[in-house]
C-alpha cells in the first residue's frame, strides 16, 4: 500500500495551520456583515470543522482507492456529494443553535451558494492534492520495485556468468593433473595444492562485486602458477602494475578468463616459449586501464579460437555493472593479440571489505 499523505507531522501542521487561517477569514467576513462575534465564531468553527473532516475523509479514501485516468470523474462526483453533505449538516446545526437570531438566519440563507461553492472548492482541491500525492508515490514505489527487480536479475546474471567460468578452467586443470599424475606425481600434487588454494580464494570472493586490483592480481597469480605447472618454461608472464592502479577497484575474478584466453591463443598452437604481458595504468583517478598482450600465429589461431565465451562474458559483466559497451576491446597487430579493458572508478560503495 502506498505511503499515506497523513503520515508524519508535516501534513497535520500544514493542514491545521490552513484551517486556522481560513477560520479567522471566515470570522472576519461574518463580522463585516454585522454578525455578533460569538455567532461568527460558532459559525466559523462548526462550518470549518465539518469541512476539514470531509477533506480528511477524502485523503484517507484516496489511500485505498486511487482513481485512474478514465475515472477522474470520480473526484467531481465525490466533491459534489461531500459538499452537499457538508452544507446540509452545517446548516442543520447552525439553524438549531441560532433559531432565535433572525438576522443570522437570513444571512445563512443568503450565503447558501457561496458556502456550497466554497465547500466544493475545498474538497475538490484536497482531492486533487491527494490524487497527485498518491499517484506520485505509487510511481516512485513502482520504480523502486522495478529497480530492485532489475538489480536482483542483474546480480543473478553476474553470478551465473562467474560460475560458468569456473568449470571451464577446472576441467583444464584436472586434465593436466591427470596427465602429470603418471609421469610427474610431485608436480601433480603441487598442482592439486595450488588448485585448492585458487578455488578456496574464489569461493571467498563470490560475495564481493569489486576488489582492488592488488587483490585481483594476487588471485590471478595463483591461476598463473597452476598454468605454469601445466606448460612449464613455455609460459612466461610479465606484470607491469602502477602503484596508483593497484588500489583501484575492479570487478572480482575479471582478469582470469581474459588471461586464460591469452594463454589459449598464445600456447595452444605452438611449442615455443610465449610471453604474456599484463599492464595496468591509472588515468586521472577516474579510469583503470588494463592491457593484456599475447603472441599468436595468424595461420593456426583460427583453429583454437574456441567459442569466445570468456571475452563475451567479460563484456557482458562490464555492461551489467557500468552500462557501457566500450569497456573491452580486442586488437590484432601482426603476431600480437591485445585485449584492452577500461574500468571506471565510480563513487559508490562497493562490496569490498
Amino acid at each position: 500500500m502506498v505511503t499515506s499523505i497523513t503520515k508524519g507531522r508535516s501534513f497535520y501542521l500544514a493542514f491545521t495551520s490552513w484551517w486556522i487561517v481560513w477560520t479567522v477569514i471566515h470570522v472576519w467576513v461574518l463580522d463585516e456583515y454585522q454578525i455578533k462575534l460569538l455567532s461568527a465564531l460558532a459559525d466559523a468553527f462548526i462550518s470549518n470543522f465539518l469541512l476539514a473532516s470531509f477533506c480528511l475523509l477524502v485523503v484517507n479514501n484516496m489511500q485505498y482507492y486511487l482513481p485512474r485516468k478514465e475515472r477522474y470523474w470520480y473526484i467531481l462526483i465525490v466533491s459534489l456529494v461531500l459538499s452537499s453533505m457538508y452544507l446540509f449538516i452545517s446548516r442543520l446545526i447552525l439553524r438549531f443553535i441560532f433559531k432565535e437570531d433572525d438576522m443570522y438566519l437570513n444571512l445563512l440563507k443568503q450565503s447558501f451558494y457561496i458556502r456550497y461553492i466554497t465547500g466544493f472548492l475545498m474538497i475538490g482541491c484536497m482531492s486533487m492534492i491527494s490524487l497527485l500525492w498518491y499517484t506520485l508515490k505509487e510511481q516512485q514505489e513502482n520504480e523502486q520495485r522495478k529497480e530492485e527487480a532489475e538489480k536482483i536479475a542483474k546480480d543473478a546474471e553476474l553470478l551465473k556468468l562467474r560460475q560458468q567460468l569456473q568449470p571451464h578452467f577446472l576441467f583444464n586443470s584436472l586434465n593436466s593433473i591427470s596427465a602429470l599424475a603418471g609421469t610427474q606425481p610431485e608436480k601433480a600434487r603441487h598442482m592439486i595444492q595450488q588448485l585448492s588454494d585458487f578455488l578456496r580464494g574464489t569461493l571467498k570472493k563470490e560475495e564481493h562485486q569489486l576488489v582492488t586490483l592488488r587483490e585481483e592480481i594476487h588471485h590471478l597469480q595463483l591461476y598463473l602458477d597452476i598454468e605454469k605447472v601445466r606448460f612449464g618454461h613455455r609460459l612466461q608472464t610479465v606484470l607491469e602494475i602502477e602503484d596508483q592502479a593497484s588500489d583501484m577497484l575492479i570487478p572480482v575474478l575479471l582478469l582470469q578468463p581474459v588471461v586464460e584466453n591469452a594463454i589459449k591463443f598464445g600456447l595452444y598452437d605452438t611449442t615455443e616459449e610465449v610471453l604474456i604481458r599484463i599492464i595496468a595504468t591509472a588515468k586521472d583517478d577516474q579510469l583503470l586501464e588494463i592491457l593484456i598482450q599475447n603472441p599468436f600465429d595468424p595461420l593456426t589461431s583460427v583453429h583454437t579460437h574456441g567459442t569466445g565465451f570468456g571475452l563475451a562474458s567479460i563484456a557482458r559483466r562490464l555492461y551489467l555493472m557500468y552500462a557501457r559497451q566500450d569497456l573491452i576491446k580486442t586488437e590484432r597487430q601482426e603476431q600480437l593479440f591485445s585485449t584492452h579493458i577500461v574500468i571506471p572508478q565510480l563513487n559508490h560503495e562497493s562490496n569490498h571489505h
Side-chain angles (χ1 to χ4, degrees):
M1 187 169 60
V2 179
T3 305
S4 174
I5 192 175
T6 60
K7 188 175 182 180
R9 289 183 175 182
S10 56
F11 169 81
Y12 288 106
L13 181 61
F15 189 80
T16 304
S17 299
W18 164 252
W19 285 108
I20 290 175
V21 171
W22 185 248
T23 301
V24 171
I25 295 173
H26 193 139
V27 172
W28 176 76
V29 170
L30 291 178
D31 183 67
E32 291 293 310
Y33 282 90
Q34 307 301 317
I35 300 298
K36 297 176 182 179
L37 180 60
L38 184 62
S39 300
L41 287 171
D43 186 325
F45 177 79
I46 292 170
S47 298
N48 291 311
F49 177 79
L50 287 171
L51 196 51
S53 299
F54 280 114
C55 287
L56 282 177
L57 179 65
V58 169
V59 171
N60 290 321
N61 181 67
M62 287 284 187
Q63 183 180 0
Y64 299 99
Y65 176 75
L66 192 64
R68 305 301 171 183
K69 290 182 179 179
E70 67 277 8
R71 293 186 177 179
Y72 282 170
W73 50 265
Y74 170 83
I75 295 177
L76 177 63
I77 293 177
V78 166
S79 300
L80 290 171
V81 171
L82 292 182
S83 299
S84 300
M85 291 176 63
Y86 144 74
L87 189 59
F88 174 77
I89 297 173
S90 63
R91 282 168 61 85
L92 190 65
I93 295 172
L94 292 171
R95 278 186 173 183
F96 177 78
I97 295 174
F98 300 106
K99 56 185 176 182
E100 303 296 335
D101 191 340
D102 293 335
M103 181 179 178
Y104 174 81
L105 292 177
N106 184 53
L107 179 64
L108 184 64
K109 182 178 179 180
Q110 292 177 353
S111 62
F112 175 87
Y113 292 107
I114 190 66
R115 288 174 184 266
Y116 185 80
I117 292 172
T118 301
F120 175 78
L121 291 176
M122 290 289 190
I123 295 174
C125 287
M126 201 69 226
S127 299
M128 291 303 300
I129 291 172
S130 300
L131 177 64
L132 291 174
W133 168 273
Y134 288 120
T135 300
L136 180 61
K137 283 296 180 181
E138 186 178 61
Q139 290 176 349
Q140 289 176 345
E141 292 184 10
N142 288 339
E143 189 65 27
Q144 184 178 357
R145 285 194 295 269
K146 181 181 177 182
E147 290 176 0
E148 289 175 354
E150 289 176 351
K151 184 178 184 300
I152 291 171
K154 183 181 75 171
D155 290 344
E157 184 173 355
L158 286 170
L159 179 61
K160 180 181 177 182
L161 287 170
R162 291 211 304 258
Q163 290 175 336
Q164 283 176 318
L165 290 169
Q166 297 307 319
H168 181 63
F169 161 68
L170 185 58
F171 293 149
N172 287 341
S173 299
L174 291 175
N175 286 335
S176 299
I177 292 171
S178 176
L180 291 171
T183 58
Q184 297 175 292
E186 284 298 325
K187 278 192 174 182
R189 281 194 291 272
H190 181 60
M191 190 171 181
I192 290 173
Q193 183 60 47
Q194 290 177 315
L195 179 61
S196 174
D197 293 340
F198 177 82
L199 294 177
R200 188 179 297 111
T202 298
L203 291 174
K204 289 180 180 179
K205 291 175 181 292
E206 280 296 324
E207 63 187 44
H208 305 315
Q209 285 287 7
L210 299 173
V211 294
T212 63
L213 179 62
R214 181 181 291 105
E215 293 177 272
E216 182 74 358
I217 291 296
H218 174 73
H219 194 68
L220 178 65
Q221 194 65 59
L222 292 174
Y223 165 76
L224 290 172
D225 289 343
I226 296 171
E227 294 296 74
K228 285 178 180 178
V229 174
R230 292 178 60 196
F231 297 105
H233 70 280
R234 292 175 54 211
L235 175 59
Q236 299 294 321
T237 58
V238 172
L239 279 71
E240 301 176 16
I241 312 297
E242 286 186 356
D243 290 340
Q244 185 180 356
S246 296
D247 295 322
M248 289 186 164
L249 297 178
I250 182 173
V252 66
L253 304 177
L254 185 83
L255 295 183
Q256 183 259 318
V258 182
V259 174
E260 182 178 356
N261 185 75
I263 292 174
K264 178 175 65 177
F265 268 82
L267 277 87
Y268 283 15
D269 58 351
T270 182
T271 58
E272 299 178 359
E273 184 177 298
V274 168
L275 176 65
I276 294 177
R277 298 172 64 89
I278 302 171
I279 304 169
T281 56
K283 186 176 181 182
D284 300 329
D285 294 329
Q286 300 297 319
L287 296 174
L288 171 61
E289 296 184 350
I290 301 173
L291 174 64
I292 299 173
Q293 293 181 322
N294 64 275
F296 78 104
D297 188 339
L299 298 177
T300 58
S301 64
V302 67
H303 301 297
T304 61
H305 72 280
T307 62
F309 171 75
L311 293 182
S313 69
I314 295 302
R316 181 61 179 167
R317 281 187 66 191
L318 291 173
Y319 173 73
L320 288 172
M321 295 188 70
Y322 301 102
R324 287 178 55 177
Q325 300 276 16
D326 60 340
L327 298 181
I328 181 169
K329 296 179 181 179
T330 57
E331 183 182 8
R332 301 188 186 197
Q333 292 180 342
E334 298 180 354
Q335 294 187 336
L336 190 66
F337 185 87
S338 301
T339 302
H340 301 263
I341 300 175
V342 177
I343 308 296
Q345 300 300 294
L346 303 180
N347 294 322
H348 59 69
E349 185 176 351
S350 72
N351 291 329
H352 169 62
H353 299 286

